[in-house]
Amino acid sequence: MVANSLVDRIRLGEDSTLEFKPVEVAGKRVRSPDRRGFADDLASMANGLGGTVVLGLDDVSRKVIGIPLKDLDIVERWAREICNDSIEPPIDADIRKISIKDSAGRSVPVIRIDLTRSLFVHESPGGHFRRIGSSKREISPEVLARLIQERSSTRLIRFDESIVPGSSPSDLQFSLTRRFTLDDPKEDALRKQRIVANDENEDERLTIAGALLCTAEPQSWLPHSYIQAVSYAGERTDTDYQTDSRDIGGPIDEQVTEALHFVRRNMMVRATKRMARSDQPQFSERAVFEALVNAVAHRDYSMAGSRIRLHLFGDRLELYIPGALASTLTPDCLHLRQASRNELIVSLLARCNAPTGLDRSRMMDRRGDGVPIIREECERMSGCLPEYSLLDETELRLVMRAAG
């Protein structure tokens, strides 16, 4: 059915969402199309409405040429490398080998690349392009600024309510949505909680917040939405002294729980004997929990390629959170004021159960007590206040000193 639908579109020719490319392979290398130009083509579609590129068709005559079977894997790998390595941020493309009939009625293999309208603005080797009609056009500075404003980090409040292209309510996991819909899977409940919304074509899609909290693998749409945790034996970043590491994915509330387990497993515990034996961990679990919750709740999810980084050392814990501070917040006033970049995510996290053993029932407290708790717990454990700083205005770093 997919092939038949594609053949019908091929007869009509290229348009704003359909592109043809003949392919020439020499040895084990793709000689044509030009790699840089093809990257520009793919990025232009992702920056526009999305679309389909078919490799193995003549772009002038619309004739089906096909790709030799022995070259299919070479061409597929080439296309995937371009999506991942030649475009920033990388494009998430659906690349498939299919068969369609040529003018003689024979089935020949081609490669179909489907691109959805992206959440991000992509830069390719030639610059920034957008698909208009059957060709790509360089985006003017004025239009580029507006496009970035629509899709990127300047959408401080509403980005988590944006729709996820290519998603659908069928991607939701009922065991996760039931936390917010009171066991009611009906469409109205999902819409009321803004887990589902309509796109510009009135098709039902997940919101960013819905994908992050109500699907088993949010990384399918937002590959950067995970926590990279690393533990080091010493006091500096050195792979030779790396004792444990893990990329923690899944729903963001589960990421918090798993990251807390990672810290519990790797931090040292010192035994003291004064009146009686007592165990003193390096860090306050309550402070670590509050920091992790704040990280997943307030990070900038529009920054493709930027993940939360958790580094555990012998003398400190470091947490790197993508995004500048929301509104007019500064590192010095985080304990005095509050502002949320992701209001919907904060609202949903406030209804998720917290891990056991923290004397807390919910993941998030809407009163904004997280940073004050971190300060109080850090000072109690180590005698030092937590250190917040902005790196290049694009990343917030938190340093917690270990207990002495």
Side-chain angles (χ1 to χ4, degrees):
M1 293 177 64
V2 171
N4 290 338
S5 174
L6 181 60
V7 169
D8 289 339
R9 293 189 63 194
I10 290 171
R11 293 194 187 101
L12 300 177
E14 295 181 335
D15 56 29
S16 60
T17 60
L18 184 61
E19 172 87 2
F20 310 146
K21 291 288 183 185
V23 176
E24 181 182 352
V25 178
K28 294 187 178 297
R29 297 186 62 182
V30 176
R31 292 184 57 184
S32 177
D34 172 70
R35 185 184 185 95
R36 292 170 60 90
F38 188 60
D40 292 340
D41 289 329
L42 294 178
S44 72
M45 279 196 170
N47 288 335
L49 299 175
T52 300
V53 178
V54 185
L55 297 175
L57 270 73
D58 187 273
D59 53 344
V60 177
S61 66
R62 309 178 193 174
K63 288 184 178 179
V64 178
I65 303 169
I67 301 172
L69 282 173
K70 65 181 179 62
D71 295 332
L72 270 181
D73 289 341
I74 295 172
V75 177
E76 181 194 27
R77 184 167 56 251
W78 172 82
R80 197 171 301 282
E81 287 174 355
I82 289 175
C83 292
N84 292 332
D85 303 333
S86 299
I87 300 170
E88 181 63 35
I91 286 180
D92 185 18
D94 181 13
I95 303 176
R96 288 179 286 172
K97 305 168 187 174
I98 64 171
S99 293
I100 57 178
K101 294 186 182 300
D102 63 11
S103 58
R106 296 168 299 190
S107 291
V108 296
V110 298
I111 288 180
R112 173 175 177 159
I113 304 173
D114 288 310
L115 300 157
T116 58
R117 176 181 180 274
S118 181
L119 291 167
F120 311 104
V121 180
H122 299 274
E123 183 177 10
S124 50
H128 292 90
F129 294 91
R130 200 171 189 178
R131 184 86 171 179
I132 299 177
S134 59
S135 61
K136 61 179 180 288
R137 293 286 186 273
E138 190 167 5
I139 303 175
S140 67
E142 296 79 11
V143 174
L144 179 61
R146 187 170 68 248
L147 189 62
I148 291 174
Q149 185 176 19
E150 291 172 356
R151 298 193 186 185
S152 70
S153 59
T154 53
R155 294 175 295 167
L156 296 177
I157 302 300
R158 298 297 181 185
F159 185 75
D160 59 338
E161 296 186 38
S162 302
I163 61 98
V164 179
S167 65
S168 74
S170 64
D171 296 311
L172 295 170
Q173 188 167 321
F174 179 66
S175 62
L176 298 174
T177 60
R178 65 189 302 180
R179 301 177 296 178
F180 313 115
T181 60
L182 301 177
D183 295 336
D184 183 1
K186 292 181 180 178
E187 178 182 320
D188 288 345
L190 296 173
R191 287 180 178 280
K192 185 176 181 180
Q193 298 301 325
R194 290 171 289 171
I195 293 169
V196 169
N198 282 17
D199 64 12
E200 63 271 17
N201 297 319
E202 297 302 316
D203 293 323
E204 288 187 329
R205 307 293 184 193
L206 306 188
T207 62
I208 296 289
L212 289 171
L213 281 153
C214 298
T215 66
E217 294 185 17
Q219 295 72 40
S220 298
W221 298 282
L222 296 158
H224 54 285
S225 61
Y226 67 96
I227 300 175
Q228 183 186 72
V230 184
S231 175
Y232 297 95
E235 297 178 0
R236 60 193 179 94
T237 303
D238 190 332
T239 55
D240 291 336
Y241 292 91
Q242 190 177 114
T243 59
D244 194 6
S245 66
R246 183 182 172 193
D247 289 344
I248 303 171
I252 56 174
D253 58 311
E254 293 181 13
Q255 291 182 31
V256 171
T257 300
E258 292 302 313
L260 181 61
H261 289 163
F262 181 91
V263 174
R264 284 172 174 168
R265 184 172 69 249
N266 286 285
M267 70 176 171
M268 294 180 288
V269 178
R270 185 180 65 180
T272 61
K273 289 185 178 180
R274 292 179 182 171
M275 298 296 292
R277 177 188 170 94
S278 64
D279 293 333
Q280 183 174 357
Q282 278 183 297
F283 308 101
S284 161
E285 291 187 6
R286 182 69 184 276
V288 173
F289 168 75
E290 296 289 349
L292 290 168
V293 171
N294 282 346
V296 300
H298 299 302
R299 67 151 292 178
D300 189 345
Y301 285 98
S302 73
M303 293 179 62
S306 299
R307 70 279 187 206
I308 296 170
R309 293 178 290 147
L310 171 64
H311 292 176
L312 197 63
F313 299 92
D315 64 339
R316 69 194 186 281
L317 180 150
E318 294 182 355
L319 192 63
Y320 295 84
I321 306 162
L325 291 171
S327 189
T328 58
L329 289 179
T330 65
D332 296 332
C333 72
L334 285 174
H335 62 295
L336 301 174
R337 299 169 50 212
Q338 68 175 111
S340 295
R341 169 179 280 111
N342 306 305
E343 286 284 356
L344 179 53
I345 290 174
V346 169
S347 173
L348 295 176
L349 281 172
R351 300 173 64 180
C352 295
N353 292 330
T356 58
L358 294 173
D359 192 28
R360 185 185 182 115
S361 60
R362 300 297 182 188
M363 275 277 174
M364 196 131 205
D365 190 331
R366 297 300 300 274
R367 295 174 299 178
D369 291 338
V371 175
I373 290 172
I374 295 171
R375 287 170 59 90
E376 179 182 337
E377 288 290 300
C378 286
E379 191 168 25
R380 177 180 66 83
M381 292 289 291
S382 66
C384 301
L385 288 172
E387 304 162 27
Y388 287 96
S389 59
L390 272 177
L391 306 179
D392 298 325
E393 297 297 322
T394 61
E395 189 173 46
L396 180 68
R397 178 175 66 181
L398 166 61
V399 179
M400 292 189 226
R401 299 295 170 180

